[in-house]
């Protein structure tokens, strides 16, 4: 456990982090339109699969890891909490470069962000109960410890305020929304650098002293999430393009929300430090691991993507009635069996 | 392998047949209609109609190995006519419709063609008017019958019907013809527009073309979309179209006017292109940036900066830096270490900006481009650097009509900027001194076997033409008995075995003091200014290098200097001043230009260089035409000196 006397983040850091979260969430809102919300209803099957892997598997993966690695209770709670969070907008960018279904990724982010208001507190209470009890026993003399459900919901609502602000901006001015979106993207990177510099730089001894279990947990959570998302969606018959989107969406969590919840809902220093530490680790490693996974998916998915894209463009240029037929031995069996020859039965890529 | 769709054939007729059998309903060509709708033609349809046209040609009395004219610009009917010609084992003799009367008479009579396809009613009437000068030309076939058919001319459909009647009668001549084609038979006879003199008929064989399909290092399959913008009767474009057919990729016909739109609609994965296209795309992207929000503009420049230096590091790490001299191995290792560091430091930042900024720039070029080969002229280094930095690797290639055309091209693995890449398989190069005839490369007597020495590029390989039609004298002058072809181009082989082109011998300006000046690098540098649309460096037998300049109306308009015409613009004193400043800035980099190469004076032209007049279809300057047409202007520029 991290020494509760260490100030992992100074007050000024916390304030800065809060501003960055605000900017990022605002940018997230600015990247969305009302149509994206409506689109959620148009692809319920894939959204459901996404929902299953985001709120079904991901928290369980976190729970399993916490038990398997025998994490300290506060770390376990943080890991499970990250597992219960909605997806972030970075997943949309990664989905784009991984040749995934961007519209699906956006729909999933949108849906999970709203669902998180309910799911995150419920799942957190459900899965963290044994760990909470341990902490409560340890802190018996200082008072009681429980999962502050009300505060968590409040944090989630507060985080949604700038998202709504962004949405409104997008409605008023596309140009400025684009600027806000880019700024947020850039800010996402700055946050990582900021976290590395402030925490690792200042508390380098912590890095050396951190048990391997913590590294293992923060790295594996994302990786196992990717893996589950990829194969579970495949089991449910998703197209490779959707598989890639769901995979990334499952593994990448909205870390700014994690920081917001930790800072607002867990004021006890010994708990907060541990939780922050894990969130910092996850945030740093998830960028690296999703970049690598994206590169891999991009290369691996090039062929089915080109088939999909070509079929789609044929439809766009020659009319929806046009049937693209590739030579028999050209397509892999899975795509050849698809009557749309890879074009997802007329579903369109998000156009900007 | 599931994702290869390649067909191997021995000649074009066989290729066309196999493509129909393998790709059936896949689109082979598509043309733009109104309202963003495109009309596809399938491989099967092309072949079936082409076979009827072939039978029709036989019905007209066209013999095997006989030249058939095809005077038309890019359109699907061009390809149909070619299918017909190839399936009838005849020889396609193509040319665009911008040719002059003299050229037309020369081509028709020199080739001895009896049948010719013509694109439009206007073209047909032009031929009919000159009938007495074209005695052997017996039959015209009209490709576009929208405006009615003149007497004595038949339509493409009419020809196909004649062929169909023949096929219905059980006559399978056309199939027997196709089967009779020998690899050494001509598939085309191309009269080069050339930058100099009278058109020469270049004889290219089926084997020439098939070797290109085998060896040009591009990866395509039947999910690819190839955007065609260059004139089809030019061998560079023609080779790409045949290449696309052999992989089942679809060719989409576009034009300079609709290019921007078509890039967005078609999202091409591949493009054969000329430097001019990249220049215009470059201008377009920069214009878009100039008008963008300041924040985005800033982000773009950061992205471009990171891209440039990131790629620079990659070039060195992959041994793709330009090497004109041998490098000591220790020095090379240290250099690599330095660039490895640079790469590592830039990687995360580049990664982010690549995703957030450069990708949206790439979308302006359709966003799906896997690669693009630029040929038909030298790509300006700054343009080259720009597109590499934003992540669209432009593969510059080199070749001539006489070489079907590709002899060397950069590949993603050998992306050495400033060169045209390594030779393609089975192609040999040697560098020979122009004056002494001494073999410079490969020559064990020179350090590095003669790499880095400049001389004439000579080539040998399966793509070298059979010769010039009915002109054994000129053929003998360029083609040796043991198969070496003299290109007349100046070049050298670099230390990483890439070919570097240094200019065309005939373009070289010899100043009065005997200094040789290559005008092309100077023109390329000047054209980087957005205020200069076109230019030509002159100065043959004069004291200094001068430039003829066509200012860019739009660029001046953006600066608030408005004029309706070039003539009006050129009268404004600030235009002259601005151009003067631009030239001085362009020439300021003394490392690139020797003192005598610096442009000392210039004249503004009131009329842009036009295709078919002062420039060829690939926008290469026809220097002799420019010198003739602007003799007065040039004389005026040098009058003081001469006096």
């Amino acid at each position: 456990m991290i020494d509760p006397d260490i100030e992992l983040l100074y007050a000024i850091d916390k304030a800065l982090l809060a501003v960055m979260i605000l900017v990022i969430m605002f940018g997230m809102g600015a990247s969305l339109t009302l149509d994206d919300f409506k689109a959620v209803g148009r692809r319920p099957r894939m959204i459901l699969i996404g929902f299953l892997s985001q709120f079904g598997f991901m928290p369980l993966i976190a729970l399993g890891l916490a038990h398997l690695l025998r994490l300290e209770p506060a770390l376990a709670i943080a890991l499970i909490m990250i597992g219960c969070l909605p997806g972030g907008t970075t997943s949309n960018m990664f989905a784009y470069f991984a040749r995934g279904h961007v519209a699906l990724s956006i729909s999933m982010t949108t849906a999970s962000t709203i669902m998180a208001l309910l799911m995150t507190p419920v799942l957190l209470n459900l899965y963290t109960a044994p760990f909470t009890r341990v902490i409560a026993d340890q802190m018996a003399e200082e008072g009681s410890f429980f999962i502050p459900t009300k505060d968590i919901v409040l944090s989630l609502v507060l985080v949604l305020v700038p998202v709504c602000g962004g949405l409104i901006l997008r409605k008023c001015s596309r140009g400025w929304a684009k600027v806000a979106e880019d700024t947020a993207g850039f800010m996402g990177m700055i946050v990582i650098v900021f976290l590395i510099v402030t925490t690792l730089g200042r508390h380098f001894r912590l890095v050396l002293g951190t048990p391997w279990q913590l590294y293992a947990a923060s790295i594996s959570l994302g990786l196992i999430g990717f893996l589950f998302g990829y194969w579970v969606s495949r089991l449910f018959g998703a197209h490779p393009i959707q598989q890639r989107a769901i995979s990334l969406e499952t593994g990448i969590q909205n870390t700014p929300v994690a920081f917001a919840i930790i800072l607002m809902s867990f004021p006890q220093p010994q708990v907060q430090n541990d939780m922050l530490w894990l969130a910092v680790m996850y945030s740093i490693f998830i960028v690296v691991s999703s970049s690598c996974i994206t590169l891999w998916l991009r290369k691996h998915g090039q062929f089915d993507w080109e088939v999909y894209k070509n079929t789609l463009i044929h439809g766009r240029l020659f009319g929806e009635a046009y049937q693209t037929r590739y030579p028999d031995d050209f397509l892999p069996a899975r795509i050849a069996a698809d009557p749309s020859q890879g074009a997802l039965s007329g579903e369109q890529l998000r156009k900007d | 392998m599931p994702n290869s769709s390649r067909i191997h054939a021995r000649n074009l007729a066989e290729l066309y047949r196999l493509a129909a059998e393998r790709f059936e309903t896949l689109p082979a060509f598509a043309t733009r209609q109104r309202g963003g709708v495109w009309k596809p033609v399938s491989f099967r349809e092309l072949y079936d109609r082409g076979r009827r046209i072939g039978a029709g040609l036989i019905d007209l009395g066209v013999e095997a190995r006989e030249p058939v004219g095809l005077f038309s610009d890019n359109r699907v009917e061009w390809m149909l006519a070619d299918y017909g010609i190839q399936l009838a084992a005849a020889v396609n003799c193509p040319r665009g419709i911008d040719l002059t009367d003299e050229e037309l008479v020369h081509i028709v009579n020199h080739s001895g063609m009896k049948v010719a396809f013509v694109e439009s009613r206007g073209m047909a009437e032009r031929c009919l008017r000159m009938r007495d000068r074209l005695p052997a030309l017996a039959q015209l076939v009209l490709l576009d019958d929208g405006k009615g058919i003149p007497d004595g001319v038949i339509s493409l459909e009419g020809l196909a019907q004649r062929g169909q009647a023949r096929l219905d009668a059980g006559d399978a001549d056309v199939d027997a013809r196709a089967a009779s084609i020998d690899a050494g038979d001509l598939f085309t006879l191309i009269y080069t527009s050339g930058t100099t003199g009278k058109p020469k008929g270049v004889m290219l064989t089926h084997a020439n073309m098939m070797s290109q399909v085998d060896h040009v290092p591009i990866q395509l399959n039947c999910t690819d979309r190839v955007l065609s913008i260059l004139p089809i009767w030019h061998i560079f474009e023609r080779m790409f179209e045949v290449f696309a057919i052999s992989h089942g990729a679809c060719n989409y016909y576009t034009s300079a006017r609709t290019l921007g739109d078509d890039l967005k609609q078609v999202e091409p994965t591949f493009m054969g292109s000329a430097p001019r296209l990249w220049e215009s795309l470059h201008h377009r992207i920069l214009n878009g940036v100039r008008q963008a929000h300041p924040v985005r503009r800033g982000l773009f420049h950061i992205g471009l900066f990171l891209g440039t230096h990131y790629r620079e590091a990659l070039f060195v790490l992959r041994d793709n830096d330009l090497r004109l001299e041998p490098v000591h191995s220790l020095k090379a290792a240290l250099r690599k270490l330095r660039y490895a560091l640079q790469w590592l430091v830039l990687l995360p930042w580049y990664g982010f900006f690549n995703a957030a900024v450069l990708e949206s720039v790439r979308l302006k070029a359709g966003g799906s481009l896997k690669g693009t080969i630029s040929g038909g002229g030298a790509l300006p280094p700054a343009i080259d650097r720009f597109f590499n930095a934003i992540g669209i690797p432009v593969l510059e290639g080199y070749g001539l009509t006489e070489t079907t055309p590709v002899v060397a091209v950069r590949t993603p693995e050998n992306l050495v900027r400033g060169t045209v890449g390594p030779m393609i398989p089975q192609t040999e190069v040697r560098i020979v001194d122009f004056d002494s005839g001494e073999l410079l490369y490969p020559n064990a007597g020179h350090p590095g076997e003669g790499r880095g020495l400049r001389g004439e590029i000579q080539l040998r390989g399966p793509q070298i033409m059979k010769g010039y039609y009915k002109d054994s004298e000129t053929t003998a002058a360029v083609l040796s008995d043991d198969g070496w072809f003299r290109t007349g181009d100046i070049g050298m082989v670099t230390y990483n075995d890439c070919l570097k082109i240094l200019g065309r011998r005939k373009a070289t300006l010899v100043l009065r003091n005997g200094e040789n000046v290559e005008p092309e690098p100077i023109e390329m540098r000047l054209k980087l200014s957005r205020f200069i649309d076109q230019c030509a460096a002159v100065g043959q037998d004069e004291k200094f290098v001068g430039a003829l300049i066509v200012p860019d109306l739009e660029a001046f308009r953006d600066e608030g200097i408005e004029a309706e015409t070039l003539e009006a613009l050129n009268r404004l004193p600030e235009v002259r001043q601005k151009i003067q400043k631009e030239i001085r800035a362009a020439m300021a980099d003394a490392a690139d230009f020797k003192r005598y190469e610096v442009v000392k004076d210039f004249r503004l032209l009131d009329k842009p260089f036009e295709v078919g007049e002062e420039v060829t279809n690939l926008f290469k300057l026809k220097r002799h035409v420019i010198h003739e047409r602007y003799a007065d202007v040039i004389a005026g520029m040098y009058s003081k000196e001469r006096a």
Side-chain angles (χ1 to χ4, degrees):
Chain A
M1 202 209 266
I2 297 171
D3 186 352
D5 296 335
I6 291 182
E7 254 190 295
L8 197 59
L9 291 176
Y10 298 156
I12 176 89
D13 300 337
K14 290 180 185 171
L16 274 174
L17 197 57
V19 172
M20 291 180 196
I21 293 169
L22 199 80
V23 173
I24 291 174
M25 298 313 284
F26 188 79
M28 174 175 176
S31 71
L32 295 174
T33 64
L34 283 180
D35 271 346
D36 293 323
F37 288 89
K38 288 180 199 151
V40 171
R42 281 204 296 272
R43 46 178 78 90
R45 214 175 98 79
M46 287 300 138
I47 298 284
L48 221 64
I49 298 171
F51 181 81
L52 183 71
S53 67
Q54 275 184 294
F55 290 119
F57 289 105
M58 206 49 185
L60 283 178
I61 295 167
L63 182 68
L65 278 171
H67 277 296
L68 197 73
L69 297 168
R70 299 179 190 286
L71 290 188
E72 307 225 4
L75 294 175
I77 294 174
L79 192 70
I80 293 168
M81 188 194 70
I82 291 176
C84 299
L85 288 178
T89 31
T90 32
S91 61
N92 305 344
M93 193 175 88
F94 281 115
Y96 176 87
F97 284 95
R99 305 184 206 267
H101 201 281
V102 179
L104 176 61
S105 179
I106 292 171
S107 292
M108 283 172 68
T109 306
T110 316
S112 66
T113 305
I114 296 169
M115 288 306 291
L117 281 175
L118 175 71
M119 297 308 287
T120 305
V122 168
L123 292 170
L124 201 56
N125 272 305
L126 189 67
Y127 293 134
T128 55
F131 302 103
T132 323
R133 235 172 286 132
V134 178
I135 299 181
D137 290 346
Q138 284 170 0
M139 292 172 51
E141 60 258 41
E142 294 152 52
S144 59
F145 176 82
F146 52 89
I147 295 293
T149 309
K150 231 195 281 167
D151 293 349
I152 290 176
V153 175
L154 194 68
S155 325
L156 284 167
V157 172
L158 271 178
V159 161
L160 283 181
V161 170
V163 176
C164 294
L167 263 170
I168 294 168
L169 177 75
R170 167 74 176 238
K171 237 184 135 72
C172 300
S173 155
R174 277 204 71 155
W176 279 104
K178 191 90 193 115
V179 172
E181 202 184 327
D182 288 348
T183 316
F186 191 64
M187 198 53 89
M189 192 157 155
I190 296 291
V191 166
I192 300 300
V193 175
F194 169 81
L195 289 175
I196 293 176
V197 171
T198 49
T199 59
L200 305 195
R202 199 183 295 150
H203 310 292
F204 194 68
R205 284 219 329 274
L206 260 185
V207 179
L208 299 176
T210 301
W212 66 270
Q213 286 92 340
L214 204 154
Y215 284 107
S218 49
I219 296 174
S220 334
L221 181 62
L223 287 180
I224 299 178
F226 293 137
L227 217 65
F228 261 79
Y230 194 78
W231 289 107
V232 167
S233 55
R234 163 112 199 226
L235 276 180
F236 281 97
H239 188 279
I241 292 162
Q242 297 165 331
Q243 260 180 283
R244 291 192 284 272
I246 295 174
S247 167
L248 286 163
E249 193 69 32
T250 307
I252 300 174
Q253 305 292 70
N254 196 331
T255 45
V257 174
F259 287 110
I261 293 180
I262 296 171
L263 292 177
M264 285 194 267
S265 314
F266 295 91
Q268 308 86 339
Q270 53 275 64
V271 179
Q272 195 183 58
N273 265 352
D274 274 6
M275 291 184 80
L276 274 179
W277 191 232
L278 191 120
V280 168
M281 288 293 189
Y282 172 82
S283 316
I284 293 170
F285 287 123
I286 196 66
V287 175
V288 179
S289 60
S290 31
S291 299
C292 297
I293 291 284
T294 296
L295 284 180
W296 187 81
L297 288 174
R298 182 178 174 80
K299 205 171 144 67
H300 188 74
Q302 182 174 354
F303 182 66
D304 66 67
W305 174 257
E306 281 170 4
V307 173
Y308 162 73
K309 196 83 194 201
N310 192 48
T311 311
L312 201 70
I313 290 174
H314 280 178
R316 190 170 77 205
L317 299 179
F318 308 151
E320 289 300 328
Y322 186 84
Q323 280 287 323
T324 306
R325 296 263 355 138
Y326 296 102
D328 291 336
D329 55 342
F330 178 67
L331 295 179
R334 224 173 123 217
I335 305 181
D338 174 3
S340 72
Q341 300 262 295
L344 298 177
S345 321
E347 244 196 299
Q348 290 282 326
L349 276 180
R350 193 171 105 114
K351 275 175 258 160
D352 257 318
Chain B
M1 234 172 76
N3 49 5
S4 162
S5 54
R6 164 81 182 276
I7 340 180
H8 295 271
R10 286 161 301 174
N11 57 58
L12 282 167
E14 189 184 40
L15 176 72
Y16 293 164
R17 180 172 55 80
L18 293 177
E21 286 168 10
R22 179 149 168 72
F23 305 122
E24 289 286 348
T25 60
L26 275 181
F29 289 88
T31 352
R32 189 191 178 87
Q33 315 281 300
R34 244 165 250 156
V37 176
W38 291 62
K39 189 166 171 253
V41 178
S42 73
F43 286 97
R44 169 55 63 191
E45 212 179 325
L46 260 184
Y47 177 74
D48 288 349
R49 287 179 69 189
R51 189 160 162 267
R52 287 200 285 276
I53 293 167
L57 284 174
I58 295 174
D59 201 53
L60 285 180
V62 170
E63 299 290 333
R65 290 169 276 281
E66 175 186 316
V68 174
L70 179 41
F71 301 110
S72 163
D73 288 329
N74 301 16
R75 58 191 299 141
V76 169
E77 287 81 2
W78 193 103
M79 217 57 217
L80 276 171
D82 186 57
Y83 263 66
I85 296 170
Q86 300 305 336
L87 291 171
V91 181
N92 181 344
C93 184
R95 192 58 197 267
I97 53 170
D98 58 357
L99 79 179
T100 63
D101 286 355
E102 290 316 306
E103 283 172 324
L104 181 67
V105 169
H106 177 76
I107 291 172
V108 170
N109 293 338
H110 188 263
S111 68
M113 64 177 69
K114 294 189 296 235
V115 176
F117 292 89
V118 287
E119 177 166 17
S120 58
R121 188 186 167 115
M123 186 70 199
E125 282 165 350
R126 192 167 149 202
C127 291
L128 292 174
R129 268 199 307 277
M130 294 196 292
R131 198 178 273 156
D132 45 335
R133 292 179 68 194
L134 309 168
L137 189 60
Q139 182 67 57
L140 294 176
V141 184
L142 186 58
L143 298 184
D144 182 358
D145 51 12
K147 286 187 184 146
I149 307 164
D151 285 343
V153 175
I154 57 171
S155 69
L156 192 64
E157 194 43 44
L159 183 66
Q161 277 163 13
R162 281 177 75 162
Q164 184 64 53
R166 221 179 145 92
L167 291 170
D168 287 343
D171 188 333
D173 267 7
V174 64
D175 300 322
R177 278 279 184 93
S180 76
I181 296 172
D182 190 71
D185 287 345
L186 304 190
F187 82 96
T188 195
L189 179 59
I190 297 178
Y191 283 84
T192 54
S193 60
T195 42
T196 45
K198 209 168 201 177
K200 289 175 294 219
V202 177
M203 299 191 286
L204 297 177
T205 66
H206 288 277
N208 287 151
M209 182 52 98
M210 291 304 135
S211 79
Q212 288 279 290
V213 175
D214 283 341
H215 298 313
V216 172
I218 321 168
Q219 305 290 330
L220 290 186
N221 63 40
C222 55
T223 65
D224 280 297
R225 295 172 302 282
V226 181
L227 199 62
S228 305
I229 185 165
L230 302 175
I232 170 72
W233 51 272
H234 191 276
I235 190 65
F236 183 54
E237 175 64 27
R238 183 112 169 257
M239 190 279 291
F240 281 125
E241 296 200 6
V242 172
F243 197 93
I245 290 173
S246 71
H247 289 78
C250 181
N251 282 291
Y252 293 81
Y253 284 127
T254 183
S255 62
R257 200 168 41 81
T258 57
L259 179 67
D261 223 23
D262 294 346
L263 280 170
K264 267 189 233 134
Q265 282 190 16
V266 176
E267 299 185 41
T269 57
F270 187 83
M271 237 179 356
S273 54
R276 173 80 186 180
L277 178 95
W278 296 107
E279 283 170 19
S280 98
L281 210 54
H282 176 242
H283 275 254
R284 194 180 307 200
I285 290 173
L286 287 189
N287 259 333
V289 170
R290 252 190 292 279
Q291 282 153 20
H293 189 275
V295 177
R296 279 209 81 77
R297 210 182 310 158
L299 288 175
F300 169 80
H301 284 291
I302 299 172
L304 192 62
F305 173 85
L306 289 168
T308 309
H309 290 89
Y310 177 81
R311 296 279 162 189
E312 201 66 54
L314 269 188
F315 281 135
V316 176
L317 294 177
R318 289 187 182 155
D319 291 322
N320 280 346
D321 43 335
L322 182 62
R323 293 205 188 138
L324 302 181
E325 284 160 8
V327 207
H328 192 271
S329 57
L330 181 71
K331 223 169 132 189
L334 282 175
R335 195 170 132 83
K336 270 199 178 161
L337 195 68
R338 175 200 170 298
Y339 279 97
L341 270 175
Q342 175 173 336
W343 178 80
L344 207 65
V345 170
L346 292 179
L347 179 67
W349 306 99
Y350 170 75
F352 173 76
F353 275 90
N354 182 42
V357 184
L358 298 181
E359 177 70 8
S360 64
V361 180
R362 284 196 290 271
L363 285 179
K364 293 222 165 67
S368 292
L369 271 186
K370 288 194 274 190
T372 140
I373 293 190
S374 171
L379 193 65
I383 304 274
D384 197 358
R385 201 174 316 127
F386 176 84
F387 282 101
N388 268 305
I390 65 169
I392 300 179
V394 179
L395 307 175
E396 191 175 2
Y398 168 70
L400 298 88
T401 307
E402 287 88 337
T403 62
T404 329
V406 180
V407 292
V409 64
R410 291 186 216 161
T411 60
E413 297 77 39
N414 277 293
L415 204 72
V416 184
R417 281 197 332 240
T419 75
V420 293
M423 308 305 288
I424 66 171
Q426 294 193 9
T427 304
E428 299 168 81
V429 63
R430 65 182 191 190
I431 305 293
V432 177
D433 189 272
F434 266 112
D435 303 319
S436 67
E438 185 204 349
L439 179 66
L440 300 175
Y441 172 92
N443 182 344
H446 292 294
E449 287 188 47
R451 291 181 177 84
L453 296 178
R454 60 160 66 195
E456 181 181 31
I457 299 167
Q458 298 191 2
L459 303 162
R460 187 160 71 175
Q463 69 276 60
I464 306 292
M465 64 164 180
K466 206 168 185 175
Y468 295 116
Y469 192 57
K470 294 186 196 159
D471 192 351
S472 51
E473 207 174 303
T474 321
T475 304
V478 297
L479 208 53
S480 75
D481 292 337
D482 53 352
W484 286 100
F485 171 65
R486 304 184 50 172
T487 62
D489 286 336
I490 313 164
M492 63 166 73
V493 175
T494 69
Y495 275 81
N496 33 10
D497 287 327
C498 289
L499 185 64
K500 182 169 173 60
I501 311 297
L502 297 156
R504 177 131 190 99
R505 192 182 194 200
K506 284 171 192 136
T508 310
L509 301 172
V510 185
L511 299 184
R512 212 186 296 174
N513 58 7
E515 295 284 9
N516 284 0
V517 176
E518 296 302 334
E520 279 153 5
I522 298 174
E523 287 155 3
M524 264 191 248
R525 177 60 71 89
L526 292 180
K527 272 195 291 186
L528 287 182
S529 158
R530 64 192 177 100
F531 295 101
I532 297 176
D533 184 26
Q534 294 168 315
C535 67
V538 294
Q540 179 68 34
D541 300 324
E542 303 290 352
K543 235 180 154 174
F544 59 84
V545 179
L548 302 179
I549 287 182
V550 180
D552 193 313
L553 266 178
E554 304 248 321
F556 277 103
R557 191 167 301 150
D558 289 347
E559 289 290 292
I561 302 173
E562 301 240 7
E564 279 299 309
T565 60
L566 278 173
E567 223 177 320
L569 185 76
N570 291 346
R571 282 213 204 91
L572 302 171
E574 59 262 45
V575 171
R576 206 183 150 78
Q577 277 165 19
K578 184 82 201 165
I579 296 282
Q580 175 118 42
K581 240 173 85 185
E582 291 288 306
I583 292 178
R584 214 171 283 155
M587 296 285 124
D589 206 348
D592 285 30
F593 294 107
K594 300 198 180 67
R595 207 161 36 82
Y596 57 83
E597 286 177 323
V598 170
V599 173
K600 297 244 171 65
D601 200 358
F602 66 96
R603 288 290 179 273
L604 298 175
L605 302 184
D606 294 343
K607 209 170 84 48
F609 296 149
E610 269 167 41
V611 172
E613 302 278 323
E614 294 96 340
V615 289
T616 70
N617 283 65
L618 294 175
F619 293 94
K620 268 197 251 178
L621 298 180
K622 292 192 199 168
R623 295 184 190 279
H624 62 287
V625 175
I626 293 171
H627 277 264
E628 248 166 62
R629 196 155 294 175
Y630 294 103
D632 293 349
V633 180
I634 296 171
M637 182 157 60
Y638 293 107
S639 58
K640 239 187 281 164
E641 302 295 324
R642 284 178 182 169

